[in-house]
Amino acid sequence: MVKPTVHDIAREAGVSLSTVDRVLNGRADVRPKNAERVKAAVRKLGYVRDTNAANLAKQRRYRFAFVLPEGPNHLVETIVAAIHEATWAQVADRTEFRILSVNAADPHAVVDNLNALDLSSLDGVAIMVPETPQVRDAIAHIKSAGIYVVALVSDLPNSGCDYFAGIDNFSAGKTAGALLGKFLRNETGSILVVTNSMVARDSIERRFGLDEVLSGEFPHLKTLPTIEFHDDAERIRETLGHAVRSNPDLKAVYSMGSGNAAMLDALRTQSGLSDLIAIAHDLTAVTRQALLDGELDAIIAQNVGHLVRSAIRVLRAKCDGADIYEAQERIRIEIIMRENLY
C-alpha cells in the first residue's frame, strides 16, 4: 500500500503545499478553515508524518543533558558508558549530549547546578537525583522554559516530569522479598536492609515492596530498620558491625541502592558472615565480580543501555510531538545469578 504524502494532503484539502507544511508544523499563521481542511485530509488519508525525514531535511539537532550523581557510584559509571555508546547508535542520530555531575546528597547544590543550565541551548534533560521541594522548584523552572524533563532510575512523581525511565521499583522490592523468602524458606531470623539514602524514591519504593512480600508471605523473617550510609564506607562498617552484634539471628542482607562496593567491603571485614544470603541491585563491575566470587547470591538488575536509549527516545518524541510506544520503553526487571550471568 502506497503511503499518502503531503502532496496528497494538499490535493485532498485543496490548499497549497506551504499551507500543509504550516499546519503539520503547528504554526499559527493559517486560516482556521484551511487548517481544519488539512486536518480532515490527514485523518481521511491516514497520513503519518515521518519525523526523522523531516528533521533530517531541516538539519534538526537535539540537545540533551543528563544530570547524574557525582562520586564513587558504579551504576552511574555504567550509565555514562551507555550514554557514550548511544552516541554511535541510530537512536542518538543528530543528538548532542552533555553530562552534569551533581552532589545528589545536597539538594541546594543540585538546585544550583540545575539553575546554572543554559536552557536556551537545551531541548531536554534526564535527571537522576532525589526529589526534594527545592528540586521540584528547579524542575518547574526548567519546564517553564519549554524544556522536556525525564526522571531517570528513580522517579520524581511530584515534580511534573514528562516521563519516568526506569524499572518499577516497588515491584523490584517485591522481587527481592520473594527471593529472600525462597532462599530462607526453612529459616527463621532477621534481614538487614542497607542503602545509600532513603531520600531516593527508588529506595523508598523498594523498601515498601520488600515489606509487603515478607510480611504477607514469609512472616518468619523479620526485616530490620534500613541503614543509610551516605557514601561513607566507615559508617557502613560501624553500623553493619553493630547490627551483626545486636542480631545474632541475622540471615541475610539486602542492598537496595548504590554503594554496593562499600557494603561488600564491610561484609568482608565481619567474621562469620560468609553464610549470609546477600542480594543487591544493578549489574556493575563490582557486583558482577561479587556474584562470581559467591559474595552475592542474586542481583536485581535493569538493562542500563535500554534505560539510556529509552530516555533519549522519549525526549526526542516529546520534542517532535510524536507518540511514545510504551511497550518499547518498558524497562524489565532482571534477576541475575551466577548461573545466568551475561
Side-chain angles (χ1 to χ4, degrees), residues 192 227-229 234-244:
L192 181 65
I227 293 176
E228 300 175 89
F229 53 89
E234 184 59 32
R235 178 186 176 93
I236 187 61
R237 280 194 290 270
E238 291 177 358
T239 53
L240 181 60
H242 175 73
V244 170

Side-chain angles (χ1 to χ4, degrees), residues 65-283:
F66 281 80
V67 180
L68 306 173
E70 65 182 12
N73 188 315
H74 294 283
L75 174 60
V76 172
E77 290 175 4
T78 62
I79 291 174
V80 170
I83 294 170
H84 291 315
E85 184 179 293
T87 61
W88 301 100
Q90 186 175 3
V91 69
D93 185 34
R94 304 186 309 283
T95 305
E96 300 170 2
F97 300 108
R98 70 184 71 171
I99 299 173
L100 176 65
S101 298
V102 301
N103 180 2
D106 182 347
H108 297 288
V110 172
V111 170
D112 288 343
N113 280 275
L114 292 177
N115 288 339
L117 286 171
D118 179 5
L119 300 183
S120 65
S121 67
L122 286 174
D123 300 304
V125 182
I127 299 180
M128 180 185 170
V129 298
E131 185 174 53
T132 64
Q134 298 93 331
V135 168
R136 286 197 292 270
D137 290 344
I139 291 175
H141 172 66
I142 292 171
K143 287 182 59 62
S144 70
I147 310 301
Y148 296 102
V149 179
V150 167
L152 194 68
V153 178
S154 185
D155 200 3
L156 303 169
N158 302 307
S159 295
C161 290
D162 297 285
Y163 202 81
F164 167 56
I167 57 174
D168 180 332
N169 285 299
F170 181 75
S171 294
K174 291 176 66 175
T175 301
L179 287 172
L180 289 166
K182 289 175 170 57
F183 283 144
L184 300 170
R185 188 183 300 277
N186 299 317
E187 302 280 350
T188 299
S190 300
I191 296 173
L192 181 65
V193 184
V194 301
T195 190
N196 196 42
S197 172
M198 282 300 288
V199 175
R201 184 80 182 192
D202 54 346
S203 288
I204 295 172
E205 292 177 346
R206 289 170 186 176
R207 178 72 206 225
F208 281 148
L210 174 80
D211 289 341
E212 179 176 297
V213 168
L214 289 179
S215 62
E217 300 180 30
F218 306 101
H220 57 286
L221 299 172
K222 179 181 70 174
T223 51
L224 301 175
T226 302
I227 293 176
E228 300 175 89
F229 53 89
H230 304 291
D231 283 326
D232 187 333
E234 184 59 32
R235 178 186 176 93
I236 187 61
R237 280 194 290 270
E238 291 177 358
T239 53
L240 181 60
H242 175 73
V244 170
R245 291 189 297 272
S246 303
N247 299 277
D249 65 340
L250 192 64
K251 293 294 189 296
V253 59
Y254 170 42
S255 178
M256 294 193 301
S258 61
N260 288 313
M263 184 270 294
L264 289 165
D265 285 341
L267 284 175
R268 295 182 189 111
T269 64
Q270 300 292 326
S271 60
L273 297 185
S274 58
D275 292 334
L276 280 184
I277 297 296
I279 293 177
H281 280 266
D282 305 318
L283 184 61

Side-chain angles (χ1 to χ4, degrees), residues 3-14:
K3 294 182 179 179
T5 68
V6 290
H7 294 275
D8 298 321
I9 295 173
R11 187 162 43 250
E12 176 68 27

